[in-house]
Amino acid sequence: RGYRVQYSAALGPYKGGLRFASNVNLSIIKFLGFEQTFKDALTCLPIGGAKGGSDFSPIGRSDGEVMRFCQAFMTEFHRHIGQDIDCPAGDVGVGGREVGYLYGQYRRIVGAAEFGAMSGKDIKTGGSILRPEATGFGALYFVQHMLQLAGKKLEGAKIAISGFGNVAWGASKKATELGAKVIAISGPDGVVTIPNGMNEEMIDYMLELRASNRNIVAPFAEKFAGTTFTPGKKAWSVKCDIALPCAFQNELNGDDAAELLKNGTWCCAEVSNMGCTPEAIHAFQKAGILFAPGKAVNAGGVATSGLEMTQNCMHISWSGKEVDEKLHFIMASIHDACVKFGKQKDGHIDYVKGANIAGFMKVAQAMLEQGVL
Ligand code: GLU
């Protein structure tokens, strides 16, 4: 069954990813679309909010099966999207391969290239350089700003990451580049601890692991000496300074938060959408550690999708340097907006409040300015 929830077009065409995972249902797509609306507003780009997907899971399927599903999905979906109407992209379970098949079917039906009808495309077919890395890179830029304001350093910090997909890969890559140590990654089967931190070879291997389409992280420990796989455990059982949930909603609960706090974690930034349960967020806030919500931290992905739409409209391609600079600028302004709206009387920054108010103000003002929308 397929879904698309077009939440708000007050700021621009509906925009948001498609998720293919067996647990997808209307309720999940609705909350993701709601969150997406405020996230997209935070980017300050002209994009509205939407989310979609299906309970079809590409895990364990052949390329042919995935292609046929994507084509069947788009045969119905094409009538609801378009470059000035709704521009879907990837999310969990929808990467470059799926976007390629979806976009190919869209072109086949409408008979036009219409690059802006989907983002997350391959670079050869109108995609933006750095889009695959953007969510993870943007998250680390946001964390850098948070830490800087709090007088803390990323260099040498130990980071635990959940997942090993596209977002976890980008986050690991940028964290390592900036001098932090990624000491754990996890999958549905358990956690791999990496005492000396990830190196370039390990980061590249994450892509292979994902492409193997088996959804297990254990082979990572078989490949790299000195790393250990613990079945059935989450990344949050590993002693770390910074926790970065990069997989699914509700993947870090109250018990996990208590364990992290007991182990001395001083920062948690949600890279997945709503990765922490309300209990976990309250525990972090009560303990006074740095915490920022997904709609701010992971906005770099959709922001770079917005940049892809702009390049498509202009029929040009920016260089990696240009895209990275723009991404950095966007993440810095999202951080500034969170600080502006989230600053408490005692000077402490409530990033949850800041992100919610900043996003809401933008959408609400646009609605009022355009009359009843
Ligand atoms: N799925 C990503 C998100 O949650 C990206 C959406 C997009 O690029 O449109 O923001």
Side-chain angles (χ1 to χ4, degrees), residues 366-373:
M367 289 172 76
L368 292 173
E369 280 162 19
Q370 292 171 84
V372 178
L373 195 68

Short mmCIF file of all heavy atoms in Angstrom, two decimals, residues 366-373:
data_model
loop_
_atom_site.label_atom_id
_atom_site.label_comp_id
_atom_site.label_asym_id
_atom_site.label_seq_id
_atom_site.Cartn_x
_atom_site.Cartn_y
_atom_site.Cartn_z
N ALA A 366 3.30 32.82 6.51
CA ALA A 366 3.07 32.65 5.06
C ALA A 366 1.58 32.41 4.80
O ALA A 366 1.01 32.90 3.83
CB ALA A 366 3.91 31.51 4.52
N MET A 367 0.94 31.64 5.69
CA MET A 367 -0.49 31.36 5.52
C MET A 367 -1.30 32.62 5.67
O MET A 367 -2.22 32.89 4.88
CB MET A 367 -0.94 30.30 6.53
CG MET A 367 -0.41 28.92 6.22
SD MET A 367 -0.75 27.74 7.53
CE MET A 367 -2.47 27.43 7.25
N LEU A 368 -0.96 33.42 6.70
CA LEU A 368 -1.71 34.66 6.93
C LEU A 368 -1.52 35.64 5.79
O LEU A 368 -2.48 36.27 5.33
CB LEU A 368 -1.27 35.30 8.26
CG LEU A 368 -1.65 34.53 9.52
CD1 LEU A 368 -1.03 35.16 10.75
CD2 LEU A 368 -3.16 34.44 9.67
N GLU A 369 -0.27 35.77 5.34
CA GLU A 369 0.03 36.72 4.27
C GLU A 369 -0.69 36.38 2.95
O GLU A 369 -0.97 37.25 2.14
CB GLU A 369 1.54 36.77 4.00
CG GLU A 369 2.26 37.65 5.02
CD GLU A 369 3.75 37.38 5.06
OE1 GLU A 369 4.28 36.80 4.09
OE2 GLU A 369 4.36 37.72 6.08
N GLN A 370 -0.95 35.08 2.75
CA GLN A 370 -1.59 34.67 1.49
C GLN A 370 -3.10 34.52 1.64
O GLN A 370 -3.76 33.93 0.78
CB GLN A 370 -0.97 33.35 1.00
CG GLN A 370 0.50 33.53 0.57
CD GLN A 370 1.20 32.21 0.29
OE1 GLN A 370 1.10 31.67 -0.80
NE2 GLN A 370 1.88 31.68 1.28
N GLY A 371 -3.64 35.04 2.74
CA GLY A 371 -5.08 34.89 2.98
C GLY A 371 -5.34 33.48 3.49
O GLY A 371 -4.47 32.84 4.04
N VAL A 372 -6.54 33.01 3.26
CA VAL A 372 -6.87 31.67 3.76
C VAL A 372 -6.27 30.66 2.81
O VAL A 372 -6.64 30.61 1.64
CB VAL A 372 -8.40 31.50 3.89
CG1 VAL A 372 -8.73 30.09 4.36
CG2 VAL A 372 -8.95 32.53 4.83
N LEU A 373 -5.33 29.87 3.29
CA LEU A 373 -4.62 28.94 2.41
C LEU A 373 -4.85 27.51 2.86
O LEU A 373 -4.63 27.20 4.01
CB LEU A 373 -3.13 29.30 2.44
CG LEU A 373 -2.28 28.71 1.34
CD1 LEU A 373 -2.61 29.30 -0.01
CD2 LEU A 373 -0.81 28.94 1.67
#
